[in-house]
Each structure stands twice: as structure tokens, then as C-alpha cells.
């Protein structure tokens, strides 16, 4: 699995050079932190998207590029003044190149408490197979 | 300085306390600059009669978050649990931190702790802290002699 963008810090990062085209929406775009695990049958990706609900997130797999996008509107608290800020609020974007053949019909994506979980099941032919050595 | 690493984070309570003190004294002296190492990050909204604090803590169980208010200090404590790996699973990439967190936040005024409300939605913790009645600003009329 190769990546389009690189992440080094845990601090919320704005998406950088990986976004090749301009967007129609203005505002900040952040790059979510992700964990990715793999087993024999699937790849599982977790992305932190605080502030995004399930209706705000879109996940697409086109050719071999998995794209995660989320639209998050800025928060207003009554007539309060934002007097101190450690994090910014904005949309999320990140894309990954997936080299394993994925069974597209069985991809599952779920949002819970600001965390996106995507399960990408591998195609049958991509799964490792044990080859029996026959005594001859 | 306590640094959040790519895998978990290391934490030194003494240094953390010193750093928080420094950070918040910086903040209230007006030269504050958000730093990368505080977890969880907070935004502070100030109104006439209350302060609202929001914090990005995605993927925690609300039962694992502990909030206490004493006078004008809010303490935010909790655990972000590690994702368990199943049989035969291996990590490719780990960027999301996990572990225990602890922060104390100096509020601009005393808070009525019985009226503090907190809720957790979409990975955002929102705490509403009403100003204590005795602490509210009063207009004092100046009498002529």
C-alpha cells in the first residue's frame, strides 16, 4: 500500500500537496490521522474525523485510489466569542493508493464517535494460498 | 516536553504540569500560541455568563472521560483505548494516538459546578460551564455625594 500524502505529527494537519485539483468549497481542509491494519482477508482503515457525522462523510474507491472526504461546518456557540483555539474546524480529505485487488461490492464503511472505519475485503485471487508440498 | 509519538505517547506528569502552567499563563497574558503537543486540543468560547469548551477526542467511550471542576479549574482526564488487533492482523500504519490523557484548564472565572453540563457527539466533547452567581459582574452605580 503506497500513500499519497505523508503525515508525521499528531497535530491536526492541513491537507497539503496531495490535493491536486482546486475545490469548489472554500475553507480549510485537514488531513485525518489513520490506522491501517491488514489480515489475510481484508484491509481495515480507521480515520479520525472529529466533528463529522455519518451523513458528512464520503468514501470512494476509483481504480486503485481510495478517497476519504468529510464536510464539517464551523461551530458557533450562541453569541460567544472564540477566545482561545487549539484546533481548527474544516473539511477532511485524504487519498490512498491501494495495490491489493479489492472486492468492491463488499466494502463496508461506518462512522462512530468521529471515527471512520472502512473494511476493504480482498478479492479471492489476492488472498495468500498455502501450497502443499507433495512428497515425491 | 511531552511528545505525542506516532505509536502511543510518552508522558511526564511533572513536565506536563510545568508546561500547562506556562501555556496557560502565556494564553492569559495574550502571547499564547497553540502548541502541537497538548491532548486533547480544546477551543474556548467565552460568553457573558458562561464558558463553553469544545474538545476533539474522537473514538473514546464517554465513560472513560472524567471531568471535574473546582472553583475556576477544569480537569479533563481519560483514556483513549487502543484498537485491538485480531488473529493474523498486522498494522501497516499507526498515526492515531492512544493512551491516558490529563489536562487542567484555568477558567476565566469561578464556575457553578452543579450546573456544568457535558455531552459527547461525533467525537467532540462539549462542556458548558456557567459562571458562579457570586462571581458575576455587577454594575455599580456611582452616587454623588
Amino acid at each position: 500500500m503506497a500513500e499519497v500524502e505523508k503525515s508525521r505529527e499528531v497535530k491536526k494537519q492541513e491537507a497539503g500537496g496531495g490535493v491536486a485539483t482546486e475545490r469548489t468549497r472554500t475553507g480549510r481542509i485537514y488531513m485525518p490521522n489513520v490506522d491501517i491494519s491488514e489480515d489475510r482477508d481484508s484491509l481495515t482503515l480507521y480515520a479520525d474525523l472529529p466533528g463529522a457525522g455519518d451523513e458528512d462523510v464520503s468514501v470512494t474507491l476509483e481504480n486503485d485510489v481510495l478517497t476519504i472526504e468529510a464536510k464539517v461546518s464551523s461551530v458557533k456557540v450562541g453569541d460567544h466569542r472564540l477566545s482561545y483555539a487549539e484546533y481548527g474546524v474544516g473539511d477532511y480529505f485524504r487519498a490512498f493508493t491501494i495495490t491489493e485487488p479489492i472486492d468492491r461490492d463488499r466494502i463496508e464503511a461506518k462512522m462512530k464517535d468521529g471515527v471512520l472505519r472502512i473494511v476493504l475485503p480482498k478479492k479471492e485471487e489476492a488472498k495468500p494460498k498455502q501450497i502443499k508440498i507433495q512428497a515425491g | 516536553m511531552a511528545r505525542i509519538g506516532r505509536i502511543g505517547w510518552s508522558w511526564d506528569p511533572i513536565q506536563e504540569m510545568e508546561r500547562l502552567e506556562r501555556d496557560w499563563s502565556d494564553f492569559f497574558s495574550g502571547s499564547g500560541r497553540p502548541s502541537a503537543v497538548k491532548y486533547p486540543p480544546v477551543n474556548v468560547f467565552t460568553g457573558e455568563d458562561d464558558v463553553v469548551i469544545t474538545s476533539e477526542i474522537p473514538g473514546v467511550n464517554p465513560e472513560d472521560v472524567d471531568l471535574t471542576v473546582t472553583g475556576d479549574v477544569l480537569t479533563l482526564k481519560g483514556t483513549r483505548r487502543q484498537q485491538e488487533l485480531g488473529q493474523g492482523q498486522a498494522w501497516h500504519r499507526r498515526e492515531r494516538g492512544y493512551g491516558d490523557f490529563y489536562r487542567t484548564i484555568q477558567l476565566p472565572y469561578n464556575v457553578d459546578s452543579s450546573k456544568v453540563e457535558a455531552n459527547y457527539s461525533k467525537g467532540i466533547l462539549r462542556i458548558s460551564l456557567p459562571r458562579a452567581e457570586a462571581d458575576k459582574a455587577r454594575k455599580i452605580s456611582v452616587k454623588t455625594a
Side-chain angles (χ1 to χ4, degrees):
Chain A
M1 229 173 150
E3 63 172 327
V4 176
E5 294 153 318
K6 280 213 169 3
S7 154
R8 282 286 168 261
E9 290 169 40
V10 168
K11 191 192 173 190
K12 208 171 175 182
Q13 281 191 342
E14 280 194 70
V19 188
T21 49
E22 276 196 85
R23 294 155 38 97
T24 51
R25 253 166 80 103
T26 55
R28 285 169 189 260
I29 308 160
Y30 293 95
M31 186 176 80
N33 288 319
V34 302
D35 287 350
I36 299 170
S37 68
E38 182 180 8
D39 62 11
R40 192 182 162 279
D41 300 319
S42 59
L43 290 162
T44 308
L45 183 147
Y46 299 89
D48 280 344
L49 305 167
D54 39 3
E55 70 286 354
D56 306 319
V57 180
S58 87
V59 177
T60 51
L61 179 63
E62 204 179 340
N63 298 319
D64 56 354
V65 178
L66 177 77
T67 307
I68 299 164
E69 274 179 284
K71 299 206 184 323
V72 180
S73 312
S74 64
V75 193
K76 278 232 162 67
V77 180
D79 55 354
H80 290 47
R81 188 172 55 88
L82 177 62
S83 52
Y84 176 66
E86 286 176 354
Y87 67 89
V89 176
D91 295 349
Y92 294 100
F93 179 91
R94 196 158 177 188
F96 295 94
T97 306
I98 305 216
T99 48
E100 305 260 3
I102 297 297
D103 185 346
R104 279 149 206 273
D105 299 330
R106 293 196 297 129
I107 296 174
E108 282 173 37
K110 207 175 134 191
M111 275 300 285
K112 187 172 187 285
D113 295 334
V115 179
L116 172 69
R117 177 175 181 266
I118 310 172
V119 180
L120 302 150
K122 293 180 193 173
K123 271 192 181 156
E124 210 49 52
E125 72 255 26
K127 293 182 185 175
K129 283 193 182 69
Q130 184 90 34
I131 291 145
K132 272 229 170 92
I133 313 280
Q134 291 177 329
Chain B
M1 188 175 273
R3 249 190 74 86
I4 299 175
R6 291 198 48 163
I7 298 173
W9 54 65
S10 62
W11 182 68
D12 179 335
I14 307 293
Q15 280 188 1
E16 179 78 355
M17 290 303 283
E18 286 172 0
R19 196 175 52 70
L20 285 172
E21 251 175 56
R22 195 177 59 238
D23 286 341
W24 283 88
S25 57
D26 280 358
F27 163 43
F28 285 111
S29 69
S31 62
R33 184 179 59 85
S35 96
V37 293
K38 284 179 271 194
Y39 193 88
V42 297
N43 283 351
V44 181
F45 297 85
T46 318
E48 276 288 293
D49 295 323
D50 66 339
V51 172
V52 174
I53 292 182
T54 60
S55 184
E56 285 189 334
I57 327 178
V60 293
N61 182 345
E63 284 169 16
D64 291 338
V65 178
D66 193 25
L67 293 169
T68 47
V69 182
T70 317
D72 60 352
V73 176
L74 168 73
T75 305
L76 220 168
K77 201 162 60 172
T79 306
R80 196 167 126 137
R81 287 172 199 266
Q82 185 177 353
Q83 199 70 51
E84 300 288 337
L85 276 185
Q87 190 86 38
Q89 284 189 309
W91 289 116
H92 277 245
R93 186 185 279 276
R94 303 213 67 184
E95 296 167 0
R96 304 165 60 232
Y98 60 88
D100 295 339
F101 55 84
Y102 177 91
R103 286 195 71 170
T104 56
I105 293 164
Q106 174 75 53
L107 304 166
Y109 33 66
N110 283 316
V111 159
D112 185 345
S113 55
S114 64
K115 288 188 186 150
V116 173
E117 279 177 31
N119 69 68
Y120 182 66
S121 162
K122 299 180 192 174
I124 309 267
L125 179 68
R126 179 178 167 141
I127 313 155
S128 156
L129 303 138
R131 191 168 188 169
E133 207 56 46
D135 206 58
K136 279 185 184 162
R138 277 199 189 81
K139 200 173 169 96
I140 293 144
S141 53
V142 179
K143 291 173 187 160
T144 47

